[in-house]
Amino acid sequence: MGGAAPGCFGGGVARPGCGAAGGLAPRGAPVYVRKQIVHNAHVVRDLERRGALFVEELDEVPPGSLVVFSAHGVSPQVRAQARQRGLEVVDATCPLVTKVHAEARRFAARGDTVVLIGHVGHEEVEGTLGEAPGHMVVVQSVADVATVDVADPGRVSYLTQTTLAVQETAEIVEALTRRFPHIRAPGSQDICYATTNRQRAVEQIAEAADVLLVVGSANSSNSVRLVEAGERRGTEAHLIEDATAIEPAWIADAEVIALTAGASAPGSLVDEVIAELRSLGPVTVVEHVVTVEDVHFTPPAATRFR
């Protein structure tokens, strides 16, 4: 199974610095990044080596500096703070996250209580909640649905975080529909196509494998969901940062090893894992194709360096 899409926009995320050899910006100024650009330690370390300075909040960024917003999106309040500090902003929000933000504004404007299915504290959820404070509630599980408090049960809609488990999300939506029969759904699925495709691939091959290896970082929601997808089918599954994290005991008796990667994991990490497995013994690689991902997003204008 393959990893993330190659190049500058793996998983639909614009990566600052693409097109600029070595450095991040030809202007020579520091490039600040609010939060991790994507939830992958290797991507973050690579950008740090090239001069990116990662910060948690904008008050750590000197006024007038260049700052990149991460793929997970930010709230309107953060955008307002950037303007107040005179920051030059490169918005690397994933377009699929931007879609959810727009839906949140639209649903709240028509008078709905918007139920956001997602993980409390996740950066994407925090940013989306900021679009309609006072009109949104978060649910993380089917059990949470019973405690949702809405002003008008006839005016409820739902949205989802883009990196959730498809099956579990469907169960929550079903529970919401039972409680609020008139609940309105987004016009199209919010869960990222890259997340969905990888989960479907794991579901199709996990039972035929002795062990599943998922290349991704521990704070990557979609990577963790892949491990869970394998485990739901009774397959031993491990989340690994890279090839160095493989424990020989995991694969000592394995005849079939399933391998996939989180949406933000560079494809090179998958190649390194395959090379490591080959160093331990003969390996035949068979790629399982669920669908061909041919979606491309236009990068922010500020990243199109000449």
Side-chain angles (χ1 to χ4, degrees):
M1 298 171 62
C8 296
F9 306 104
V13 175
R15 289 178 56 192
C18 291
L24 288 173
R27 57 185 268 173
V31 175
Y32 293 87
V33 185
R34 183 184 180 274
K35 309 291 185 179
Q36 291 189 358
I37 183 74
V38 292
H39 286 160
N40 184 271
H42 283 268
V43 172
V44 170
R45 285 197 293 267
D46 175 62
L47 292 175
E48 285 178 328
R49 284 192 294 267
R50 297 165 65 185
L53 301 174
F54 287 85
V55 299
E56 285 299 303
E57 300 299 342
L58 293 185
D59 56 11
E60 302 173 58
V61 181
S65 299
L66 175 66
V67 65
V68 179
F69 289 157
S70 79
H72 310 102
V74 299
S75 68
Q77 294 78 12
V78 172
R79 295 183 186 278
Q81 185 183 9
R83 290 192 295 270
Q84 292 167 1
R85 296 181 64 80
L87 303 178
E88 180 181 350
V89 173
V90 174
D91 189 355
T93 302
C94 173
L96 302 178
V97 175
T98 299
K99 166 188 174 291
V100 178
H101 279 230
E103 291 169 334
R105 293 192 299 270
R106 186 168 71 253
F107 292 178
R110 71 189 182 192
D112 289 3
T113 295
V114 184
V115 178
L116 177 59
I117 304 171
H119 301 295
V120 173
H122 190 280
E123 290 154 31
E124 180 184 332
V125 169
E126 292 299 315
T128 305
L129 285 174
E131 293 288 356
H135 297 273
M136 300 184 72
V137 294
V138 180
V139 298
Q140 301 187 92
S141 66
V142 170
D144 288 346
V145 173
T147 64
V148 171
D149 184 22
V150 302
D152 182 353
R155 302 193 65 85
V156 183
S157 55
Y158 76 85
L159 299 170
T160 77
Q161 183 180 328
T162 64
T163 54
L164 299 179
V166 175
Q167 180 179 327
E168 291 180 5
T169 301
E171 292 169 357
I172 296 173
V173 170
E174 183 180 350
L176 284 168
T177 303
R178 286 196 302 269
R179 183 164 180 212
F180 305 109
H182 301 292
I183 194 168
R184 292 188 276 189
S188 59
Q189 179 175 273
D190 289 335
I191 298 178
C192 167
Y193 67 90
T195 295
T196 300
N197 291 343
R198 284 160 173 75
Q199 288 179 24
R200 287 176 178 165
V202 166
E203 290 166 357
Q204 290 182 16
I205 72 166
E207 292 181 4
D210 300 303
V211 63
L212 167 68
L213 300 179
V214 178
V215 182
S217 293
N219 64 339
S220 167
S221 175
N222 73 89
S223 298
V224 173
R225 304 290 83 77
L226 291 173
V227 173
E228 293 172 350
E231 291 175 338
R232 280 197 301 271
R233 277 151 184 77
T235 304
E236 179 184 342
H238 301 280
L239 181 65
I240 57 173
E241 194 77 64
D242 51 38
T244 65
I246 298 174
E247 295 286 346
W250 297 341
I251 58 177
D253 299 319
E255 294 184 5
V256 178
I257 301 171
L259 173 63
T260 188
S264 56
S268 59
L269 296 181
V270 176
D271 295 335
E272 290 170 7
V273 168
I274 293 173
E276 176 65 17
L277 294 175
R278 281 193 167 123
S279 73
L280 300 174
V283 171
T284 299
V285 177
V286 177
E287 185 174 3
H288 181 79
V289 179
V290 172
T291 186
V292 176
E293 295 179 355
D294 56 2
V295 179
H296 299 280
F297 298 118
T298 301
T303 67
R304 301 173 210 159
F305 301 134
R306 297 179 180 178

